[in-house]
Amino acid sequence: MFVVSALGSPEAEPREASVAALGTLNLFGSNIATEDFAALKKMEAEAIDTLFVFISHFHLDNPQVLLAFQEILAGFEEDDCIPAVFVLHGDFLSRPFGHGSNDYVTLRTLFGELGDLVARHPRICAESRFVLVPGPSDPGPGNFLPRPALPASIVEPFVRKVSRVSPMSNPCRLRFGTQELVVFRHDLLRRMSRNCMIAEESAGGAGGRARQAAAVHAMVKTVMDQAHLCPLPMAAVPRLWAHDHALWLFPLPSFLFLADEVDPYVTSYRGAKACNPGPFPDEFGFQVYYPATGKAEYSQVVLE
């Protein structure tokens, strides 16, 4: 009989060590020469006015969501601060797609209304890029990972009115200079907690916030140690084996955006940072990422 007193996985290798060991080999997929890194680093440091906005659970059929988003756009234009990128995560309906008899037409119409809203802000419409990341209940072929981008026919009314739109897969990857950002929309904490063999003990007491903080730390640590966005059995989360490499996390990203069902958080592990904007309809909160400093800040809209 073997008696196990402790069980763990190897710690994640810091991003700097992995990048140095890889040398000129670039696993991210972009064509950036090593000699360009110094110039890109300088560009990053000077981009003090550049920011990315991350919003999750962007339910287009919720009028309050669109009203809060209108306030966000108006606030950025009023402050003369135009985000480089808006990353909008699904689900884009408050109910699973297909549960209504006319969901295709409904979602297509709602994307047209979103286009009208953005078009009322000419600078944002012209200068910002909108990245659309599908959620688990958005239209797509089955309940597995990775998920393909939203169908072009559904987002066409939005694309027609806003020129810089990028429907992306889930997960997806963004690059700014030398920084590599990984974006993943999934109810990951709930899934991993359901498959946890030993309940995570909270270090700060019995409060809900302390328990969530401990669970989030354990989840982020596991994901980064395993170098995989969803280190669960295939029976728990089905995956397309031929595309499983889209979920790999080696080397660790500069920043990991995990759009989850739980309250917002910003945390770090082994030099890599991770954050969650939280469900937008709950408190109309979102994360703003500043590439120049490598920091994310939680912001919130208060509707009158």
Side-chain angles (χ1 to χ4, degrees):
M1 175 184 291
F2 291 97
V3 177
V4 178
S5 58
L7 181 66
S9 59
E11 286 191 338
E13 184 177 64
R15 171 176 171 79
E16 293 75 14
S18 300
V19 171
L22 289 171
T24 58
L25 181 61
N26 181 9
L27 299 182
F28 196 78
S30 55
N31 297 318
I32 297 180
T34 306
E35 55 269 21
D36 296 333
F37 269 51
L40 291 172
K41 278 285 190 184
K42 184 173 183 292
M43 179 271 291
E44 290 174 16
E46 294 173 348
I48 56 175
D49 294 327
T50 300
L51 55 94
F52 296 0
V53 176
F54 291 81
I55 304 177
S56 186
H57 298 69
F58 199 76
H59 297 162
L60 293 171
D61 57 340
N62 184 340
Q64 295 292 97
V65 165
L66 294 181
L67 183 59
F69 190 55
Q70 161 71 24
E71 292 294 318
I72 292 173
L73 299 183
F76 280 125
E77 280 205 333
E78 184 178 338
D79 293 340
D80 194 27
C81 182
I82 307 301
V85 180
F86 286 91
V87 180
L88 307 180
H89 308 77
D91 301 326
F92 290 100
L93 289 177
S94 56
R95 63 179 183 275
F97 182 85
H99 281 206
S101 60
N102 211 21
D103 280 353
Y104 175 86
V105 175
T106 298
L107 188 54
R108 180 181 162 86
T109 301
L110 289 170
F111 268 112
E113 294 176 2
L114 177 63
D116 292 334
L117 188 155
V118 174
R120 291 199 289 269
H121 302 273
R123 285 195 61 194
I124 289 177
C125 187
E127 300 176 26
S128 297
R129 177 169 296 279
F130 289 82
V131 174
L132 307 177
V133 180
S137 298
D138 280 323
N143 183 28
F144 50 73
L145 294 173
R147 295 190 65 82
L150 292 170
S153 59
I154 288 181
V155 300
E156 187 270 336
F158 184 48
V159 175
R160 191 171 63 245
K161 298 169 183 177
V162 182
S163 58
R164 306 182 69 192
V165 179
S166 298
M168 302 291 283
S169 63
N170 180 26
C172 68
R173 297 164 190 264
L174 311 175
R175 179 186 280 281
F176 182 82
T178 65
Q179 298 182 31
E180 299 174 356
L181 315 178
V182 174
V183 180
F184 186 40
R185 166 67 186 98
H186 197 64
D187 303 334
L188 189 59
L189 184 60
R190 176 175 60 85
R191 294 271 187 160
M192 293 187 68
S193 297
R194 182 183 298 173
N195 290 272
C196 184
M197 297 181 64
I198 302 175
E200 181 71 24
E201 295 292 335
S202 63
R209 289 186 180 275
R211 284 196 298 272
Q212 178 177 305
V216 164
H217 175 77
M219 176 192 69
V220 171
K221 179 181 185 301
T222 302
V223 165
M224 292 189 180
D225 283 348
Q226 296 295 316
H228 198 281
L229 282 169
C230 195
L232 291 171
M234 293 283 281
V237 181
R239 294 187 294 280
L240 290 173
W241 192 249
H243 300 283
D244 185 72
H245 61 273
L247 301 167
W248 297 354
L249 284 179
F250 180 81
L252 292 181
S254 307
F255 217 113
L256 176 60
F257 295 89
L258 296 171
D260 209 330
E261 291 277 1
V262 297
D263 293 339
Y265 61 79
V266 178
T267 187
S268 61
Y269 175 69
R270 301 287 288 173
K273 299 176 182 178
C275 79
N276 167 39
F280 189 63
D282 289 357
E283 297 180 340
F284 307 114
F286 56 97
Q287 295 280 2
V288 179
Y289 176 65
Y290 299 90
T293 60
K295 294 181 179 180
E297 293 182 359
Y298 179 73
S299 298
Q300 189 175 351
V301 175
V302 178
L303 296 180
E304 298 294 337

